[in-house]
Amino acid sequence: MAKTYDVVVIGGGPAGYVAAIRCAQLGLATACVEKWLTPQGEPALGGTCLNVGCIPSKTLLESSEHFHRATHGFAAHGIRIDGAVSVDVGQLQARKQTIVAQLTGGIAQLFKANQVTWLQGRGKLLAERQVEVTR
């Protein structure tokens, strides 16, 4: 059964989710189509940027900067580390996934708060202002 919206945004990445929220805030019946699935097969908003691009990369870079400071920069400040400094890659990945989940979950909450309908799947523009959504 077809549902009618004033606005359908295809893509729930940084531009798409902001556009959808703003349209809903302006009183338009709004839906956002997003196809992203986590490695566990769970739907998630945020697109490439939040799920595997910008945010995860910056999270891992921040951790690597801390490691670099501990191994190279602290001595100049009079801070000594006696013993080996090591990296727990599993913990780095877990922290990254926690941050990603918090941010993508935050978008889902904003959708609920602003009454944006999240259509999980792939969106395709058709003729006569129609949008097809496939899972």
Side-chain angles (χ1 to χ4, degrees):
M1 181 166 143
K3 174 117 179 166
T4 301
Y5 297 95
D6 297 319
V7 175
V8 176
V9 176
I10 297 177
Y17 74 77
V18 171
I21 291 167
R22 186 64 183 135
C23 287
Q25 289 171 340
L26 292 171
L28 300 168
T30 305
C32 182
V33 183
E34 175 57 61
K35 66 180 180 177
W36 193 270
L37 295 175
T38 67
Q40 297 77 28
E42 297 294 322
L45 290 164
T48 298
C49 179
L50 265 69
N51 286 284
V52 295
C54 310
I55 300 303
S57 296
K58 288 178 181 179
T59 300
L60 293 173
L61 280 170
E62 180 187 23
S63 295
S64 68
E65 287 172 9
H66 287 306
F67 179 79
H68 180 77
R69 284 189 198 116
T71 57
H72 295 94
F74 286 174
H77 294 274
I79 302 169
R80 285 187 223 140
I81 297 177
D82 295 326
V85 177
S86 64
V87 174
D88 181 341
V89 175
Q91 180 59 35
L92 290 177
Q93 294 292 337
R95 177 178 177 271
K96 175 194 62 123
Q97 282 309 117
T98 297
I99 291 169
V100 168
Q102 288 171 344
L103 293 174
T104 58
I107 298 168
Q109 290 302 315
L110 287 170
F111 272 21
K112 287 180 185 176
N114 289 283
Q115 299 176 352
V116 174
T117 301
W118 176 12
L119 303 174
Q120 297 163 349
R122 181 183 300 263
K124 179 180 177 182
L125 296 176
L126 304 176
E128 299 184 28
R129 298 172 43 139
Q130 300 291 310
V131 177
E132 176 183 84
V133 179
T134 55
R135 293 195 176 261

